[in-house]
């Protein structure tokens, strides 16, 4: 039989051993959960309950991704969302901590306007847009969300806007290289 102080040592050792696998190495990406939603499906045997997690992943150096994970429990859906976001990263061109030009995008019901801002103005954006541009490493930007208040649609529209910014910046670079 273990004495009281031996029992405490034994329990603390067991707890440390159990927690060891969860102490992950620091990732190069900053992960943020934008929304967790509980969903249910009516089946013959009753309601089947699941969860969706909308995750934004970025390295604050111009790379950002968005993922929607679905699973029967919250932790699995978060893990799936983060994994999907890491697999589908886009590169955003940064000019003095902001985007090179203004862009307006409409995706579904979501309309997003992103506009470069002068240094020192910070991120002027709503919650869903803010999480994406902050993860991308944009320090100065002004934005407006028009249309829907749906966070998932706004996040995907913001990602699409940043994608279009990078495509247009790439085209501009190619034109300048061809003119030289």
């Amino acid at each position: 039989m273990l004495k009281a102080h031996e029992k405490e040592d034994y329990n603390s050792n067991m707890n440390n051993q159990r927690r060891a696998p969860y102490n992950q190495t620091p990732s190069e990406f900053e992960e943020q959960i934008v929304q967790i939603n509980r969903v249910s499906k009516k089946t013959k045997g009753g309601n089947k309950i699941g969860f969706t997690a909308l995750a934004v992943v970025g390295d604050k150096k111009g790379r950002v991704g968005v993922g929607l994970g679905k699973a029967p429990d919250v932790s699995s859906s978060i893990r799936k969302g983060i994994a999907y976001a890491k697999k589908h990263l886009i590169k955003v061109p940064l000019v003095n901590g902001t985007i090179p030009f203004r862009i307006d995008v409409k995706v579904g019901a979501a309309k997003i306007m992103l506009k470069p801002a002068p240094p020192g103005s910070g991120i002027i954006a709503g919650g869903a847009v803010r999480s994406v541009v902050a993860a991308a490493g944009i320090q100065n930007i002004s934005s407006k969300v028009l249309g829907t208040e749906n966070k998932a649609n706004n996040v995907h529209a913001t990602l699409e806007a940043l994608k279009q910014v990078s495509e247009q910046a790439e085209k501009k670079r190619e034109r300048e290289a061809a003119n030289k």
Side-chain angles (χ1 to χ4, degrees), residues 27-32 56-60 131 134-135:
S27 173
E28 63 177 308
F29 296 108
E30 180 189 288
E31 303 159 352
Q32 188 174 0
V56 175
V57 171
D59 65 354
K60 293 198 175 279
S131 61

Side-chain angles (χ1 to χ4, degrees):
M1 187 87 185
L2 294 172
K3 294 180 184 166
H5 70 279
E6 291 173 340
K7 200 173 198 178
E8 288 173 13
D9 290 342
Y10 178 77
N11 285 337
S12 66
N13 285 339
M14 288 304 292
N15 287 339
N16 290 340
Q17 287 174 354
R18 274 189 231 130
R19 288 189 194 134
Y22 299 106
N23 291 340
Q24 299 170 343
T25 58
S27 173
E28 63 177 308
F29 296 108
E30 180 189 288
E31 303 159 352
Q32 188 174 0
I33 306 304
V34 177
Q35 181 182 35
I36 295 177
N37 200 15
R38 184 172 154 252
V39 294
S40 67
K41 178 184 179 183
K42 198 75 137 168
T43 61
K44 186 172 70 174
N47 291 341
K48 185 175 180 183
I49 294 179
F51 294 90
T52 65
L54 185 64
V56 175
V57 171
D59 65 354
K60 293 198 175 279
K61 296 175 192 164
R63 289 194 305 166
V64 66
V66 173
L68 183 68
K70 302 176 187 178
D73 60 298
V74 176
S75 60
S76 297
S77 64
I78 291 172
R79 198 170 358 94
K80 285 181 182 181
I82 289 171
Y84 186 89
K86 284 181 180 176
K87 285 180 190 169
H88 298 87
L89 292 171
I90 65 163
K91 185 89 175 102
V92 180
L94 298 176
V95 179
N96 298 329
T98 188
I99 56 176
F101 49 84
R102 177 188 164 140
I103 188 145
D104 294 287
V105 171
K106 185 175 189 305
V107 177
K111 294 179 195 168
I112 302 286
M113 183 272 296
L114 298 177
K115 195 164 76 170
S121 54
I123 299 173
I124 303 166
V129 176
R130 177 182 291 269
S131 61
V132 177
V133 295
I138 300 171
Q139 291 142 2
N140 303 299
I141 194 166
S142 182
S143 76
K144 183 66 183 164
V145 175
L146 305 160
T148 185
E149 293 179 13
N150 185 324
K151 286 183 184 177
N153 284 353
N154 288 336
V155 164
H156 284 104
T158 305
L159 193 71
E160 182 60 33
L162 293 176
K163 214 181 279 185
Q164 288 184 19
V165 165
S166 66
E167 288 169 2
Q168 290 179 18
E170 184 65 35
K171 285 180 187 176
K172 184 180 179 186
R173 254 194 307 275
E174 288 172 2
R175 278 195 307 268
E176 288 173 354
N179 290 339
K180 284 186 180 178

